[in-house]
Amino acid sequence: MEQYKKEFIEFMIDCNVLKFGDFVTKSGRKTPFFVNTGFYRTGSQLKRLGEYYAKAISDKFGLEFDVLFGPAYKGIPLSVATSMAISEEYDTDVRYCANRKEIKDHGDTGILLGSPIQDGDRVIIIEDVTTAGTSIQETLPIVKAQGDVEVLGLVVSVDRMERGQGEKSALQEIQEKYGLETTAIVTMAEVVEHLYNKPYKGKIVIDDTLKSAIDAYYEQYGAK
């Protein structure tokens, strides 16, 4: 596993973004782990987060694209932080764009924030976590309504590796249904690999009991 992935896993723990315990997802699944990117709350945290996203994008897609699109609301700071990191780390300027939940009819009108999307633009969509793939169904029509654009792919922070609408993972379903390349900074398999029975700051984060709960969860909800 690449060093930046290990660092990102520990970064999520430090920021209380990655938690283990008893949770319920939006889809009603009881889960022993939870990822909440709303806990990235400081400038330094967002700066580092943008750098990890930038690395994942560079590794998967390269930097030959024009616009980084972040769906409202969590995607807005992600698109800003990552476009800044791409500029700083790779000396490459890409435009950021996001959507509003409500269309604005005065001042800076329309549904978009940041850069307009133009004919010929190559777009990458950036999100936090995709569990069931419902967000992309709303996001793609918004992006494609802006003109003759090419949506290259989707990047998320963590691939939960669980079933979406069918037997495959949400990211696999998105790839097949929409023809989009998808990637994540880390997968949950990598999280478990890095943390299982290994001390981090003097504590075992994933012990045998928690590992059994995670295994049971994937037995029920894991992608095939």
Side-chain angles (χ1 to χ4, degrees):
M1 189 190 318
E2 296 95 322
Q3 183 62 29
Y4 83 94
K5 290 176 178 280
K6 297 177 182 178
E7 292 176 3
F8 180 65
I9 292 165
E10 294 169 2
F11 173 63
M12 286 194 291
I13 293 171
D14 291 343
C15 295
N16 290 316
V17 166
L18 174 61
K19 297 182 179 182
F20 298 96
D22 295 309
F23 307 96
V24 178
T25 67
K26 279 183 186 176
S27 55
R29 298 173 180 174
K30 292 183 178 179
T31 173
F33 58 89
F34 195 72
V35 180
N36 184 355
T37 57
F39 277 86
Y40 296 119
R41 292 174 173 173
T42 71
S44 61
Q45 289 172 348
L46 285 172
K47 182 177 185 295
R48 284 189 65 188
L49 178 61
E51 291 166 357
Y52 289 124
Y53 266 108
K55 175 65 174 168
I57 290 170
S58 176
D59 283 358
K60 177 69 175 182
F61 300 106
L63 298 170
E64 295 295 319
F65 68 99
D66 306 293
V67 178
L68 194 58
F69 185 89
Y73 288 100
K74 287 184 179 178
I76 297 174
L78 298 180
S79 64
V80 173
T82 305
S83 62
M84 292 172 70
I86 289 172
S87 173
E88 187 169 308
E89 299 289 318
Y90 300 97
D91 195 27
T92 299
D93 245 355
V94 297
R95 297 168 3 238
Y96 95 90
C97 182
N99 66 296
R100 296 182 172 95
K101 289 286 190 180
E102 304 84 18
I103 297 176
K104 190 177 177 186
D105 60 3
H106 62 281
D108 181 18
T109 60
I111 198 170
L112 300 184
L113 296 165
S115 170
I117 299 177
Q118 305 160 353
D119 285 348
D121 277 344
R122 296 159 298 179
V123 180
I124 290 175
I125 297 171
I126 184 169
E127 291 196 28
D128 56 347
V129 179
T130 296
T131 302
T134 51
S135 174
I136 201 75
Q137 296 175 16
E138 302 169 1
T139 303
L140 266 180
I142 294 170
V143 174
K144 292 191 171 182
Q146 307 308 312
D148 182 16
V149 302
E150 181 183 4
V151 181
L152 300 178
L154 167 70
V155 58
V156 300
S157 60
V158 180
D159 179 358
R160 289 181 58 100
M161 300 178 65
E162 60 192 76
R163 294 200 306 271
Q165 306 294 333
E167 292 297 306
K168 296 181 179 180
S169 76
L171 289 183
Q172 288 174 314
E173 289 176 352
I174 288 168
Q175 192 158 334
E176 292 180 4
K177 183 174 181 178
Y178 301 105
L180 297 182
E181 291 294 320
T182 61
T183 195
I185 303 173
V186 294
T187 66
M188 275 307 299
E190 290 170 328
V191 169
V192 173
E193 175 190 337
H194 183 55
L195 296 177
Y196 177 47
N197 275 345
K198 297 173 186 174
Y200 176 62
K201 293 186 174 179
K203 178 184 176 183
I204 299 294
V205 180
I206 299 180
D207 59 13
D208 289 338
T209 301
L210 181 55
K211 176 67 160 53
S212 295
I214 293 172
D215 289 345
Y217 182 78
Y218 280 112
E219 188 69 31
Q220 185 173 6
Y221 295 116
K224 303 301 182 185

